[in-house]
Amino acid sequence: MRCLLLASSSPYRRELLSRLQVAFEWASPDIDETAHPGEQPEQLVRRLALEKAQALVRCYPDHLIIGSDQVAISEHGIVGKPHTFERAKQQLQSSSGKSVSFLTGLALLDSRTGHAQVDCVSFTVHFRSLDEHQIERYLKAEQPYDCAGSFKAEGLGISLFRATEGTDATSLIGLPLIRLVEMLNHAGIEVP
């Protein structure tokens, strides 16, 4: 069986990939994640997912390398990681009663042949109307400052939602497993 490599330092993506019960290594790619002028969000996540995988080819010349990247999009544009309590509070206040779409780019690169499968999976979160107390209580409990959109859907963040919409809830956490299984199967890796 070919060796798998996750091109990510994200503990969330490692946890998701471990659900598939396949052996894998992980390494952090070092790339510039700045959007190109005029680049649309879907183009951005597809490009970055592939560039993350490509960044590790030289060190892992006989692997299937998984790259992934995600952006959140609100009516105000791209929503990044907040990094602080105040920015997270502003993001959640802005999302209250509204919808935020998440685009997750996914790439599976065969470092031996250079062949890549690249896709983008979308998922939408519809937020409940949230008051300041609810937002502050949530942020103090979960501290999701390293998460785009300022919540952890796999944890207490689910309590902020009115509904979700999409084909693969794992894409919301940053690694769309349904699409990844299809890619792995296409590459000859059978996942039960």
Side-chain angles (χ1 to χ4, degrees), residues 55-68:
L56 297 172
V57 166
R58 197 172 333 159
C59 295
Y60 298 90
D62 194 34
H63 284 64
L64 292 173
I65 305 174
I66 302 162
S68 187

Side-chain angles (χ1 to χ4, degrees), residues 27-66:
S28 182
D30 184 22
I31 67 164
D32 179 0
E33 297 188 30
T34 306
H36 293 162
E39 189 172 37
Q40 296 301 307
E42 183 172 338
Q43 295 170 312
L44 172 67
V45 296
R46 284 175 177 265
R47 177 179 61 81
L48 291 178
L50 182 57
E51 285 183 6
K52 286 178 181 182
Q54 291 170 331
L56 297 172
V57 166
R58 197 172 333 159
C59 295
Y60 298 90
D62 194 34
H63 284 64
L64 292 173
I65 305 174
I66 302 162

Side-chain angles (χ1 to χ4, degrees), residues 21 37 43 56 70 76 78 83 85 87-88 108 110 128 136 148 154 167 169-170:
Q21 299 181 10
Q43 295 170 312
L56 297 172
Q70 182 181 70
H76 305 293
I78 292 179
H83 301 293
F85 176 87
R87 290 205 54 218
L108 181 64
D110 185 329
R128 294 186 304 116
E136 288 180 357
E154 68 278 22
T167 59
T170 58

